[in-house]
Amino acid sequence: MASITQQVNYLLASGQYHTILSIIKGFRNGAVYGAKIRFPHALVMTLLFRRGSFKEMTQGILEATFTHSKNLACFVVAYKTLTNILAWLETHEKQYQSFIAAFTGGYFVFGKYNKVNEQINLYLLSRILYGLAKLSVKRGYIPAPKAPVFPWFAAIVWGIVLWLFEYERDTLQPSLKSSMTYLYHDSNRWNSFKNFLIYNK
């Protein structure tokens, strides 16, 4: 057994098959990271907002965790495989190869509609819009602001989301609607001390 472990360690340290081994490790890291991110999120959201039997709630948590973990692992494999193929075809790496590989992987892995994919895509959308704004300043496409921008960013985000919640609620994600209902509408209703401070309804 020790000699097998030594041979595996020698192979891993040798640098041989680096491309294929990096894809395998990427799958592993995607699966682990997806589970680490989704499980606590699904657990908390289920305990806060879902109703049902223990079995149904547990099944929902495990399904969401598996979907996130599987999709992230598959996307990492697709992205790393495609970037390596494109770099090999053109003999060196170019920036657009990253976009093409991610675009293709995104379409086939995260393009299937489900709640997990929707949340991941929305999470990334907010990050890339923020990143593109900073890139525009960095590249000189827009002038660097002379005063703090973050307060205005926060004001616009919160103004729009509360307006949508109050007047166009059907356009928001169910989890966001649940959170906002709990915060802003459920706090308008009570008929005793118990449901005023001890529990919500």
Side-chain angles (χ1 to χ4, degrees), residues 80-139:
K80 289 175 75 69
T81 301
L82 290 170
T83 51
N84 279 299
I85 290 170
L86 290 168
W88 176 74
L89 288 173
E90 300 196 67
T91 68
H92 62 284
E93 197 175 299
K94 295 182 181 175
Q95 285 191 20
Y96 72 84
Q97 295 167 353
S98 177
F99 178 83
I100 290 173
F103 180 92
T104 306
Y107 182 88
F108 288 105
V109 177
F110 290 111
K112 179 182 177 184
Y113 180 80
N114 57 56
K115 293 297 179 189
V116 171
N117 283 351
E118 180 185 39
Q119 289 170 356
I120 292 170
N121 290 335
L122 288 173
Y123 173 87
L124 289 178
L125 176 63
S126 65
R127 268 48 179 188
I128 63 171
L129 291 175
Y130 199 76
L132 288 172
K134 291 173 79 172
L135 179 64
S136 297
V137 173
K138 177 182 171 184
R139 296 277 175 90

Side-chain angles (χ1 to χ4, degrees), residues 6 11 33 51 54 57-60 62 66 70 74 80 90 106 111 121 130 137 141 155 161 166 168 171 191 193 197:
Q6 287 175 340
L11 175 66
Y33 189 79
R51 297 291 172 262
F54 177 78
M57 293 169 71
T58 303
Q59 185 176 355
L62 294 177
F66 175 77
K70 173 182 68 75
C74 290
K80 289 175 75 69
E90 300 196 67
N121 290 335
Y130 199 76
V137 173
Y141 302 140
V161 78
E166 297 291 2
E168 302 290 345
T171 62
N191 57 22
F193 178 76
L197 281 184

Side-chain angles (χ1 to χ4, degrees), residues 136-156:
S136 297
V137 173
K138 177 182 171 184
R139 296 277 175 90
Y141 302 140
I142 58 174
K146 303 213 183 324
V149 174
F150 196 81
W152 292 104
F153 166 70
I156 291 166

